[in-house]
Amino acid sequence: MKLTELVDRLDEELRTDDYADLDASANGLQVGPPDAEIEHVAFAVDGVQETIDAAADAGADLLVTHHGLSWAGIERVTDQQYGRIAPLIENDLALYVSHLPLDGHQELGNAAGVADVLELTDRKPFGELGPECVGQRGVAPDPYAPDELRDRLATELDTGPGNVRLLDFGPDRIENVAVLTGSGTDWLDEAVEAGVDALVTGEGKGKVYHEAKEAGIHVALAGHYATETFGVQALQDLVGGWGVGTTFLDVPTGL
């Protein structure tokens, strides 16, 4: 498959253009000649030297990541940027990135994947960012006790050397849950206004402890990496269905 065709398909599915004014990430094709032929695609959460080298070693023609190289532009290709871009070019390895579009996808996205783990039903978009939503909320068919929610996340998510931290300030029965992966505690107020019992995210800021305590809501911090493996793996399944070979590169950070 030509790279241009694959990129067009991904951009259409992820509605990449709709996030152009919302996301600091330069979503879409970041590195690569559009006329390249793609036979093997590697998928990873982070576009870093380790995953770029691993994708090249796997014989991939394209690396698809959630976190890419360009955030509000690239001013200089030196030091760390050079160390990441040079092996892409040297190995004829293209790079495609989907940050907020992949967070916000209500079927293939990261929040949707965590909601699947928690078996949430009656799902709705959550996490307003301009006209888009970058998370999801839903209802647990059988309410979780706080420790049951924490243990399910710890068991099912790829936390690596990390663990799940639960700020246990909400009700004894957790039924309504909001999910916004990565660094999602800025949406705590929206979670409170929505009347959910718990907000599940990746990592927190210091202020969230008292904000959650005063609001009487649980906050589960399950790891930035661990909550964001779902989207790229869903894309792997999608692209694999297009007749292209795929590889998932799992490089957990524990953070």
Side-chain angles (χ1 to χ4, degrees):
M1 181 182 296
K2 289 290 185 183
L3 180 57
T4 48
E5 180 184 354
L6 198 153
V7 166
D8 287 345
R9 287 192 184 189
L10 287 175
D11 283 344
E12 181 179 2
E13 177 64 43
L14 295 164
R15 297 192 298 111
T16 300
D17 290 344
D18 293 342
Y19 290 82
D21 296 328
L22 303 176
D23 200 348
S25 172
N27 297 306
L29 184 65
Q30 288 193 355
V31 178
D35 60 347
E37 193 69 33
I38 304 299
E39 297 180 356
H40 189 165
V41 183
F43 296 81
V45 175
D46 301 308
V48 293
Q49 210 162 23
E50 184 171 359
T51 57
I52 291 168
D53 289 343
D57 289 343
D61 307 299
L62 171 66
L63 174 62
V64 174
T65 68
H66 182 49
H67 302 130
L69 302 181
S70 177
W71 301 89
I74 297 175
E75 293 186 0
R76 293 178 175 82
V77 182
T78 61
D79 301 324
Q80 187 179 81
Q81 284 284 46
Y82 182 85
R84 294 174 177 179
I85 293 174
L88 289 169
I89 296 172
E90 290 167 0
N91 291 283
D92 292 324
L93 178 62
L95 176 67
Y96 180 94
V97 175
S98 187
H99 183 233
L100 293 183
L102 191 53
D103 285 324
H105 198 292
Q106 295 297 299
E107 295 178 1
L108 304 177
N110 290 312
V114 176
D116 287 343
V117 165
L118 297 176
E119 299 181 341
L120 302 184
T121 62
D122 300 324
R123 299 187 196 180
K124 300 176 182 178
F126 170 81
E128 291 184 2
L129 186 65
E132 301 294 339
C133 286
V134 291
Q136 196 170 93
R137 62 184 175 97
V139 179
D142 296 312
Y144 290 98
D147 60 337
E148 290 174 340
L149 178 72
R150 181 193 61 232
D151 291 347
R152 186 169 185 86
L153 291 168
T155 300
E156 298 295 331
L157 270 59
D158 187 7
T159 57
N163 52 36
V164 177
R165 173 80 185 276
L166 179 68
L167 304 181
D168 187 359
F169 299 132
D172 293 336
R173 289 163 53 88
I174 300 172
E175 186 173 5
N176 295 289
V177 181
V179 182
L180 205 158
T181 63
S183 182
T185 56
D186 287 343
W187 284 267
L188 181 66
D189 287 346
E190 183 180 338
V192 173
E193 291 173 6
V196 303
D197 305 312
L199 170 65
V200 176
T201 186
E203 61 179 294
K205 299 176 181 178
K207 65 179 183 177
V208 74
Y209 179 93
H210 289 289
E211 290 176 344
K213 187 174 185 179
E214 291 165 11
I217 185 174
H218 298 289
V219 176
L221 305 174
H224 198 128
Y225 180 91
T227 59
E228 296 199 328
T229 61
F230 297 95
V232 287
Q233 291 185 85
L235 291 184
Q236 179 185 12
D237 291 340
L238 179 69
V239 171
W242 297 342
V244 179
T246 67
T247 299
F248 177 63
L249 306 171
D250 190 21
V251 185
T253 65
L255 300 173

